[in-house]
Amino acid sequence: MIQKTTSKAFVLLAAIIFPFFSIAQININPYAYSPQKKVECTKGAVVSAHPLASKVGVEIMKKGGNAMDAAIAMQLALAVVYPGAGNIGGGGFTVARLANGKNLAIDFREKAPDNASRNMYLNQKGDAQLELSQNGHLSSGVPGTVAGIFTELKYARLPFRKLIQPAIDLAEDGFAISEAEARNLNAAQASFKKYNTMTPLFIKSTAWKAGDTLIQKDLAKTLKLIRDDGAKGFYEGETADLIVAEMKRGNGIMTLDDLKNYTAKEREAVVFPYKSDYTIITMPLPASGGVLLPQMMRMVEDQPLKRYGFETKESVHLMVEVERLAYADRAKFLGDKDFVKVPVKLLTSYPYIIQRMKLYDLEKAGNSKDIQAGHILPESEETTHLNTYDKEGNAVSITTTLNGEYGSSTVVGGAGFLLNNEMDDFSIKPGVPNMYGAVGGEANAIAPGKRMLSSMTPTIVLKDNKPFLVVGTPGGTTITTSVFQTLIDIIEFGMSPEDAVNKPKFHHQWLPDVIFVEKGFPSDVKEELIKMGYKIMEREAIGRTEVIQIMPDGKIIAVGDRRGEDTAEGY
Ligand code: GLY
């Protein structure tokens, strides 16, 4: 049984011009596709930020692949069809719950190159140079995605060449770009011109438009090296040489040793109960969600959220205060725990939570007045998330990123992929906000080989010990609060996954001391919150949440966010 709800379809002109063909013997037309927002099915489902990537995922499952096979193929396809955030030049985290009950937490976060140093983004006067931490060659951490994929591969079933072939075909033969991609590529032209040493194919003399074909031969070549030589096809040999040559041309610091020595890390997943029925599985540090999500869930666990209801004055006040408390801890305590001591147990313990909640005043807005406010650049939140679930009961949740949209804007000459600008996720100077307005301190200072703190929060929820939700989102610092809100919306307010994804979201991150709300947030609640002492700012879309919900009768519901071209597929 399958039911589909298609959003306003955009049918690409190229569909008429180009003939239909299959890529990698799987049934995909890269010139005619449209976002599909919801699917109900019984055998397997996927959801990602791009219709072609979701199509690749479901087709891999139909060919006998499990949820991990589908997730790997989708990650690789996103690196081709969604260059703003899909990547092989970035990093991320994978959380999975296997059908045999094993939990996985794979850390393929970028790390600082060995030549990185604590004050590398400060000028002689000691001022932070955000231009360098956020753009171009010096802003890139050592990429982790390819190492992450080969760690995931241990849990997949199909041969790797089958999983990567759709991405190779999409890069080599091309696909029609969507309207959003055309808009984003046009907006990034000046950055591409400024931060590249060789002209990348993303630069075009006339404006990009929906339906234009994007062919990426260099990227196809790099993907073939990875297909044939495994992780070495990226971290050693021709690709590594091209990355280091790019670094030399652009005054970057990444070396062949940095690349060769990169490893993804399998960590112990953070697993905690919520009320009696639910178990939440999420990513540990350097993903901050591994501390903030248990903190926030525990802070609200005994509160009457159900009675307060969705987006009432009382529920928003409670959730915002909880977010404020958690993000204040983030700034002070969190960093890569392979390098700094982080009191994770204490921060998530019930006695500490009870202590912290004494600061919550039922009647009054809290105040983050001690430290200067940061600023937020919402258009830069280009991370991406995908979920998969298969009929055997394997669930995979992956968030991956270049950091800002198109990362550092630097394409590796001759290798065709964008490098991340993840170094900006370190605290480049205590108290100086990063591009998401997040401040940090000692714990997240730069050190050679250290991984920068992340907000990414790929999460799986079990109900009565069976997979119930697979959740995640991009959105910089809003990631953790969006995952928190999505869990509360479904578990406490009994919302459908569709509503939990699509209803307006809100966000507070301690500094700046403002509640950010999306358009559509109820205006009467806004007025009441202002009377309580809150500052409220309306902003652009918060995240692009993807959810798969598994119902007690086995029905699988997958939902892609209305805020983008996110697409659910299933069968
Ligand atoms: N670059 C966004 C994050 O990792 O939080």
Side-chain angles (χ1 to χ4, degrees):
M1 187 267 296
I2 190 157
Q3 286 175 26
K4 296 176 174 189
T5 315
T6 304
S7 79
K8 202 177 99 200
F10 62 89
V11 178
L12 299 162
L13 186 63
I16 306 160
I17 300 165
F18 293 94
F20 172 90
F21 69 94
S22 295
I23 56 164
Q25 285 84 50
I26 63 177
N27 191 24
I28 293 175
N29 183 347
Y31 298 106
Y33 56 85
S34 56
Q36 174 172 272
K37 293 299 169 192
K38 183 177 172 195
V39 64
E40 294 189 8
C41 55
T42 53
K43 293 190 174 146
V46 304
V47 58
S48 82
H50 198 283
L52 287 173
S54 293
K55 195 85 184 143
V56 165
V58 77
E59 292 295 323
I60 287 289
M61 270 193 193
K62 286 183 191 167
K63 292 245 173 270
N66 64 18
M68 195 63 92
D69 288 292
I72 291 170
M74 288 163 78
Q75 271 180 283
L76 290 160
L78 283 167
V80 178
V81 299
Y82 192 53
N87 68 81
I88 54 172
F93 301 105
T94 298
V95 167
R97 166 80 171 185
L98 304 183
N100 64 11
K102 184 176 166 65
N103 300 321
L104 304 180
I106 302 170
D107 169 358
F108 55 98
R109 182 70 162 163
E110 301 92 329
K111 64 171 189 172
D114 280 347
N115 288 326
S117 56
R118 186 190 176 84
N119 295 333
M120 63 187 276
Y121 299 113
L122 304 187
N123 65 14
Q124 281 176 339
K125 285 195 261 166
D127 299 330
Q129 296 180 283
L130 298 173
E131 162 68 12
L132 293 180
S133 68
Q134 294 181 0
N135 307 287
H137 300 68
L138 206 55
S139 67
S140 296
V142 183
T145 296
V146 174
I149 285 172
F150 282 95
T151 308
E152 293 162 1
L153 196 61
K154 293 199 285 187
Y155 306 97
R157 179 180 297 147
L158 298 182
F160 182 63
R161 65 189 153 71
K162 286 214 164 128
L163 307 182
I164 198 170
Q165 199 57 41
I168 293 172
D169 290 347
L170 285 162
E172 185 135 64
D173 302 330
F175 67 98
I177 65 165
S178 65
E179 199 176 317
E181 193 62 60
R183 199 172 44 243
N184 294 339
L185 284 171
N186 289 332
Q189 289 296 298
S191 298
F192 287 141
K193 285 178 189 151
K194 189 164 175 193
Y195 300 113
N196 281 284
T197 60
M198 289 165 72
T199 306
L201 53 78
F202 299 125
I203 295 181
K204 197 159 158 296
S205 54
T206 54
W208 288 96
K209 52 189 191 320
D212 282 351
T213 299
L214 184 61
I215 294 176
Q216 303 173 80
K217 294 279 185 204
D218 285 345
L219 178 56
K221 184 191 67 178
T222 302
L223 292 170
K224 284 182 198 166
L225 286 169
I226 297 169
R227 177 193 62 194
D228 297 340
D229 300 338
K232 284 188 178 172
F234 184 87
Y235 291 103
E236 297 180 41
E238 184 179 339
T239 310
D241 289 344
L242 287 169
I243 295 172
V244 171
E246 183 61 57
M247 286 290 138
K248 286 194 175 134
R249 286 195 300 274
N251 300 320
I253 56 173
M254 211 183 296
T255 64
L256 287 175
D257 276 347
D258 284 326
L259 291 160
K260 195 171 167 189
N261 296 335
Y262 183 88
T263 51
K265 296 188 184 187
E266 284 204 66
R267 300 191 183 271
E268 197 172 323
V270 170
V271 182
F272 63 96
Y274 181 74
K275 302 199 161 165
S276 53
D277 304 346
Y278 301 95
T279 306
I280 297 172
I281 306 165
T282 194
M283 190 72 210
L285 289 169
S288 54
V291 176
L292 301 195
L293 195 61
Q295 279 194 321
M296 295 189 293
M297 295 300 286
R298 283 183 172 161
M299 286 179 194
V300 300
E301 197 169 2
D302 288 334
Q303 300 286 334
L305 267 171
K306 225 175 232 115
R307 175 158 62 78
Y308 290 164
F310 172 69
E311 285 184 2
T312 57
K313 175 183 87 168
E314 291 79 7
S315 68
V316 175
H317 171 52
L318 169 63
M319 290 166 78
V320 159
E321 290 309 319
V322 158
E323 291 173 7
R324 184 200 308 277
L325 291 169
Y327 276 73
D329 281 350
R330 181 191 199 275
K332 178 152 186 204
F333 297 113
L334 303 196
D336 182 349
K337 65 180 171 13
D338 293 345
F339 281 73
V340 289
K341 215 166 147 32
V342 182
V344 174
K345 268 211 177 99
L346 181 106
L347 290 172
T348 54
S349 69
Y350 281 106
Y352 179 77
I353 297 293
I354 291 165
Q355 199 58 32
R356 291 291 273 168
M357 282 304 275
K358 289 189 179 149
L359 299 170
Y360 164 61
D361 181 332
L362 205 57
E363 304 297 330
K364 237 176 52 206
N367 196 332
S368 317
K369 65 177 177 236
D370 294 341
I371 301 178
Q372 64 182 27
H375 66 285
I376 281 215
L377 298 175
E379 63 281 357
S380 292
E381 293 170 353
E382 277 314 317
T383 297
T384 191
H385 184 83
L386 66 94
N387 295 323
T388 62
Y389 181 75
D390 67 30
K391 57 180 182 287
E392 294 154 42
N394 298 298
V396 181
S397 175
I398 299 179
T399 315
T400 179
T401 187
L402 289 168
N403 197 18
E405 185 157 47
Y406 303 111
S408 61
S409 303
T410 299
V411 175
V412 177
F417 62 88
L418 280 150
L419 286 168
N420 66 83
N421 57 342
E422 219 73 61
M423 291 296 282
D424 190 60
D425 269 349
F426 278 117
S427 170
I428 64 166
K429 182 179 177 183
V432 171
N434 71 3
M435 72 165 73
Y436 303 113
V439 289
E442 205 46 48
N444 192 32
I446 303 173
K450 187 174 173 186
R451 299 180 188 216
M452 53 296 278
L453 187 63
S454 171
S455 297
M456 293 187 277
T457 311
T459 296
I460 293 168
V461 180
L462 310 180
K463 187 171 182 189
D464 301 326
N465 220 28
K466 288 202 217 105
F468 173 56
L469 296 173
V470 192
V471 183
T473 180
T477 43
T478 68
I479 291 173
T480 325
T481 52
S482 291
V483 170
F484 170 55
Q485 285 166 33
T486 305
L487 299 194
I488 294 297
D489 288 349
I490 295 175
I491 294 173
E492 293 289 353
F493 304 138
M495 264 187 193
S496 67
E498 213 171 350
D499 280 349
V501 165
N502 292 321
K503 294 263 187 194
K505 294 205 159 51
F506 57 91
H507 169 74
H508 194 291
Q509 60 180 46
W510 180 51
L511 290 176
D513 192 352
V514 170
I515 309 178
F516 294 96
V517 298
E518 285 188 305
K519 283 190 188 68
F521 185 90
S523 49
D524 52 335
V525 177
K526 212 160 37 176
E527 292 309 316
E528 288 177 298
L529 289 166
I530 290 168
K531 278 192 205 135
M532 288 180 81
Y534 283 108
K535 280 196 211 92
I536 302 206
M537 207 181 267
E538 194 172 279
R539 54 157 279 177
E540 295 305 311
I542 295 182
R544 286 166 67 168
T545 306
E546 322 285 24
V547 171
I548 295 179
Q549 180 168 4
I550 302 101
M551 307 305 283
D553 64 358
K555 184 166 80 179
I556 308 165
I557 305 172
V559 178
D561 199 309
R562 66 168 165 89
R563 296 165 183 84
E565 291 166 348
D566 306 52
T567 289
E569 288 281 355
Y571 75 115

